[in-house]
Amino acid sequence: MYLIKRAENLLRAQMDPIARTAGLTVAQYTALSILHARPGMSSAELARRTFVSAQAANELVNGLHGKGLILRRPSPEHGKILQLRLSKKGEAVLRKCALAMQELEELIRSALDGDAQTFHHDLKACIAILEANGGR
């Protein structure tokens, strides 16, 4: 377990300056990436996907909205639920650091002796067993 946490800390230390070049935190970059892939989700859905509390996601959304990076629109099904989408500015900011993030991911993949898909599968299996054991 120590190795996983150490790898996470080292990865985060390299992601931070990349995100900062676009005026973002890693959490904001992650949220923009998720909203790019899945536009229209609510703050609650974004919280689950970014592994933060609903309160933290609300602060994240407010910050992104305040910077003009996301748009909030009422859901057609539930008027009280706001759907989130990237603005044109949000798309541009995401593009600004996405390439460097992809290069960092490729660097990590290059270190794998075996098949990256096998590693990905095995890591997902670890997550699934921990979730089944009462994790979140």
Side-chain angles (χ1 to χ4, degrees):
M1 292 304 132
Y2 172 76
L3 291 176
I4 292 172
K5 185 62 177 171
R6 187 167 173 214
E8 176 192 12
N9 287 342
L10 290 167
L11 176 61
R12 179 65 183 255
Q14 292 192 31
M15 290 176 73
D16 282 335
I18 294 170
R20 272 196 305 270
T21 65
L24 300 172
T25 65
V26 172
Q28 289 172 328
Y29 169 79
T30 302
L32 291 179
S33 296
I34 291 168
L35 289 173
H36 175 75
R38 297 179 184 264
M41 68 173 44
S42 68
S43 290
E45 291 171 302
L46 185 62
R48 286 189 291 279
R49 293 203 178 266
T50 55
F51 307 105
V52 299
S53 67
Q55 184 177 12
N58 190 43
E59 291 176 21
L60 185 62
V61 166
N62 286 337
L64 292 170
H65 186 260
K67 290 181 175 189
L69 302 177
I70 62 170
L71 305 170
R72 298 187 278 199
R73 296 201 174 120
S75 166
E77 294 88 34
H78 303 286
K80 291 185 179 184
I81 295 175
L82 296 175
Q83 293 180 325
L84 308 173
R85 296 185 182 288
L86 294 186
S87 65
K88 289 188 187 292
K89 182 179 177 183
E91 292 279 354
V93 167
L94 179 61
R95 277 192 306 275
K96 184 174 181 177
C97 61
L99 182 60
M101 291 291 191
Q102 289 170 348
E103 288 171 356
L104 181 57
E105 187 175 330
E106 288 301 319
L107 177 67
I108 293 167
R109 285 186 185 169
S110 73
L112 300 175
D113 286 336
D115 180 18
Q117 286 183 322
T118 301
F119 177 74
H120 185 258
H121 176 268
D122 291 348
L123 199 52
K124 285 180 80 173
C126 290
I127 292 166
I129 196 72
L130 290 169
E131 286 177 339
N133 194 45
R136 56 180 226 178

